[in-house]
Amino acid sequence: MPQIVHRTLACGLDLLVEPMPGAASAALTWKFPAGAAGDPESRQGESAVLNEFTARGAGGLTSREHSDALDRVGVERSSSVGVHHLTISATMLGSNVPAALPLFAAVARDPLLPAEALEPVQSLCVQAIEGIKDDPQHEAMIRLRERHVPAPFNRHGYGEIDAINAMTIDDVRRAWKTRCVPRGTIVALAGAVDVDQAAAILDASLTGWRGACGEPVETAPAQGGIHHVEQPSAQVHIGIACDAPREADEGAMLERLAVAVLSGGMSGRLFTEVREKRSLCYSVGASYGAERERGVLTIYSGTTPERAQETLDVCLAEMKRLEQGVTIEEFRRAVVGLKSRLVMQGESTSARAGAIARDFHRLGRARTLDEIARAVDELTLDGLNAYLARRNFGPFTVVSVGPTALRV
Amino acid sequence: MPQIVHRTLACGLDLLVEPMPGAASAALTWKFPAGAAGDPESRQGESAVLNEFTARGAGGLTSREHSDALDRVGVERSSSVGVHHLTISATMLGSNVPAALPLFAAVARDPLLPAEALEPVQSLCVQAIEGIKDDPQHEAMIRLRERHVPAPFNRHGYGEIDAINAMTIDDVRRAWKTRCVPRGTIVALAGAVDVDQAAAILDASLTGWRGACGEPVETAPAQGGIHHVEQPSAQVHIGIACDAPREADEGAMLERLAVAVLSGGMSGRLFTEVREKRSLCYSVGASYGAERERGVLTIYSGTTPERAQETLDVCLAEMKRLEQGVTIEEFRRAVVGLKSRLVMQGESTSARAGAIARDFHRLGRARTLDEIARAVDELTLDGLNAYLARRNFGPFTVVSVGPTALRV
């Protein structure tokens, strides 16, 4: 059974490694404590700019040389900005981990941050913001979080156009130095990885990397309520959110089961009630995101303007109906589904690297799949129904994007 | 090393199984010979309607009972319509394969096709068509294929609204009987699967399922050329296509390498020239789809109206520049990237089930990853450059969706 090793390296970062017997690949998740919530109020988009600079040269290599070096050892990678972290994700052959780690370490310790890259980077960040308009589903979910979660944890990570365009290269360099620091950085490796070797390589290549940064604090309460974004889209895109347990809360696993009854598989209540019985919409689904400070239960649905109000009404009713409990059949299906997905996750190095990094941030430690499976096994129908009886879903934040507004 | 077993079952379907040592999960890909190209000219969307009916009950079970039964054994599934096939994909624990297979066999042999489901199904199919308008990137790629490929192989699979609404339940039942037939059906299983057991279960549960259907034939040549779809989107979404080798052609593996040089990883030429140097667009990428009858090389790019013409010009120039050959460094990086991705694929049961089913359709047999890796090892820089020297990319079909038209 895989075990997870945790080490705090000399520079202060937390390294988590899950060696997976039988895997030939390895996955890396590198989380800098430089997410959107940490952007200064007047400089929203700083993290988006830093994110682009992760691919603009490091360790004395130009942008081109650095990406050539990673491609030479077959490393596939991407990076993204979340609420708490700027995250680099990568997969590679396990045998190439020793060659790849120093290249990622160089990004952390010694990024090039070249002045001539600033304008192209700003331009790309602004284009990403403009592009949101062409994806009304994505826009609905962005605006939903903006209104449902307290600032600055409600940010989407794209930033603001004026703030991005106002940044100088000195701003970028200062931001990197103060925010992309080892204390608060989480590095997770899963798959064909040797723990001691990986730790030694990182220790050696991160010498001189120093610093810690503060945690973002709440600056404004959530707005909540119902909100419409007028857009000439063909469909109405509806997002619904309500508070849910944090990952550390006892209710987190029960909430996950409840959401599986609501939306897991084709026998989920939403799929049955909204799509199959009433054919109200082509796509509908619920998901539960459990973070360190809060959890959010969200539903998305895209439908025609004529069907939008009924779709919203049915979705809200189905969430409230959960409070009356679920049947033993629904409970069993949800447990089986949850446990099947754990097995799938155990066969994917990138899923495991992502999961143990997220766990460490949310819980201060990473759980093995066995531990999670045991926790699922301890859940009972009575326990779930008692939880749901006191759950009280709501208040709901609702955002719609499309030609017609809705009411709750 | 995994081997792939091929058996033609009593009913006539082709079963392919790749047992994967160490896997606990299993994946299923079930391809009926009922893709969009086979829809009658006057009834485009028939396959989309059949697709919805795959989840509307089977084997004497109602829609609800059937999906409950699959969820009880933790089967995650989805289905989709392609050019040649209506495909059901599923993942589950290997230990649940014996329970799941009869449920999928029931869909094939004994679907419920209830009359009361017709109207909801039609409504959902029409909503899917309406939804395309809200995804201009997707629309650009749909229109690109429509113009670049000869009919009926140019179809997107959503169908036409009038044709869908005109269908009766008798039409649906007749279409199922004549098109969802064993000869031409490909069933692939990969992962923790026992070949003999799976074959025996399918043989037993498919008794009485009979029939064969013809192959679609070309009815009209490709249109090609340059085409603009006026839309008030924020970005211009550009699709470019040109012909490429079929999977069975000798050039297929070389073409794949060339596309990796063009667009693989962050050191790919498109990423470097279009995004990094000129910051012309946020997203750009090429992909190569090799089918049985043809191959198509496509590029997608989304950019601002002001940058759209230059983006198109640079993309076209980069495709032509490939004809002058690639460097030894580019060749090596492309080979390493290709081989790394093969290893990743070997760790995913769903990737393998999908790949061996596609292979069987395109080549008449399924290749192991070892066989593909050996073929990659035989490629040389000289071989690739000789191929590119005679490749002659083009003629190009170009489709743009957005506020301004482009010229070639």
Side-chain angles (χ1 to χ4, degrees), chain B residues 6-15 181-187 202-203 206 209-212 360:
Chain B
H6 169 227
R7 294 198 190 158
T8 303
L9 299 190
C11 62
L13 76 72
D14 286 294
L15 173 68
V181 288
R183 284 193 192 277
T185 288
I186 302 168
V187 175
L202 285 174
D203 262 335
L206 288 170
W209 191 38
R210 284 200 190 85
F360 189 81

Side-chain angles (χ1 to χ4, degrees), chain A residues 1-344:
Chain A
M1 287 296 114
Q3 296 296 321
I4 300 166
V5 179
H6 168 226
R7 294 200 189 157
T8 304
L9 299 190
C11 63
L13 76 72
D14 286 295
L15 173 68
L16 299 144
V17 183
E18 181 169 285
M20 290 162 66
S25 77
L28 166 74
T29 296
W30 189 305
K31 287 180 171 295
F32 292 106
D39 288 352
E41 187 65 32
S42 61
R43 203 178 289 149
Q44 289 185 46
E46 187 178 86
S47 49
V49 169
L50 294 180
N51 179 36
E52 280 290 332
F53 271 101
T54 61
R56 299 280 172 164
L61 301 178
T62 64
S63 165
R64 186 66 201 260
E65 291 164 349
H66 188 258
S67 62
D68 283 1
L70 283 167
D71 283 342
R72 250 193 315 270
V73 287
V75 178
E76 295 218 36
R77 62 225 177 263
S78 62
S79 66
S80 62
V81 172
V83 172
H84 286 99
H85 300 107
L86 191 177
T87 303
I88 299 176
S89 307
T91 54
M92 64 208 84
L93 298 189
S95 53
N96 286 327
V97 169
L101 281 182
L103 293 165
F104 287 110
V107 172
R109 195 203 64 235
D110 186 22
L112 202 59
L113 307 176
E116 67 272 19
L118 180 62
E119 206 184 298
V121 161
Q122 288 169 319
S123 164
L124 290 173
C125 290
V126 170
Q127 286 187 56
I129 295 173
E130 301 283 356
I132 298 170
K133 290 180 205 137
D134 285 355
D135 190 347
Q137 168 172 357
H138 186 47
E139 170 144 38
M141 299 319 272
I142 281 178
R143 303 299 162 224
L144 181 67
R145 186 175 175 95
E146 249 173 20
R147 296 186 71 89
H148 184 73
V149 172
F153 304 101
N154 62 345
R155 295 180 183 165
H156 45 65
Y158 289 91
E160 293 175 353
I161 293 180
D162 290 346
I164 288 168
N165 282 333
M167 282 185 78
T168 66
I169 190 67
D170 286 338
D171 293 333
V172 173
R173 289 171 183 160
R174 199 160 32 230
W176 190 281
K177 214 175 165 57
T178 53
R179 301 186 59 195
C180 293
V181 289
R183 283 193 194 278
T185 288
I186 302 167
V187 176
L189 286 159
V193 181
D194 181 286
V195 182
D196 292 326
Q197 187 188 37
I201 292 172
L202 285 173
D203 261 335
S205 41
L206 289 170
T207 306
W209 190 38
R210 284 200 191 85
C213 67
E215 289 280 348
V217 291
E218 188 174 320
T219 56
Q223 292 178 272
I226 176 160
H227 181 64
H228 179 67
V229 180
E230 187 86 17
Q231 253 211 31
S233 55
Q235 296 201 301
V236 180
H237 302 268
I238 306 168
I240 307 169
C242 72
D243 288 343
R246 303 174 309 150
E247 185 65 35
D249 290 341
E250 253 191 276
M253 205 60 87
L254 291 163
E255 182 82 6
R256 208 156 271 135
L257 266 193
V259 173
V261 171
L262 189 63
S263 175
M266 290 189 183
S267 62
R269 290 182 178 186
L270 279 181
F271 196 86
T272 310
E273 295 298 323
V274 179
R275 190 182 195 280
E276 204 175 281
K277 278 197 202 159
R278 296 183 177 79
S279 66
L280 281 171
C281 61
Y282 193 74
S283 59
V284 62
S287 73
Y288 165 42
E291 305 169 12
R292 188 179 55 180
E293 294 86 1
R294 68 185 51 74
V296 183
L297 171 58
T298 56
I299 291 186
Y300 164 79
S301 173
T303 181
T304 60
E306 305 76 47
R307 293 182 181 89
Q309 184 64 49
E310 189 183 350
T311 301
L312 173 60
D313 295 343
V314 174
C315 286
L316 291 172
E318 285 303 324
M319 286 169 102
K320 293 305 282 179
R321 188 160 72 91
L322 273 180
E323 295 168 10
Q324 296 159 33
V326 308
T327 66
I328 181 71
E329 290 77 23
E330 287 177 317
F331 173 80
R332 283 189 188 138
R333 288 196 304 262
V335 167
V336 169
L338 222 61
K339 294 191 70 178
S340 292
R341 281 193 293 280
L342 292 178
V343 173
M344 306 290 163

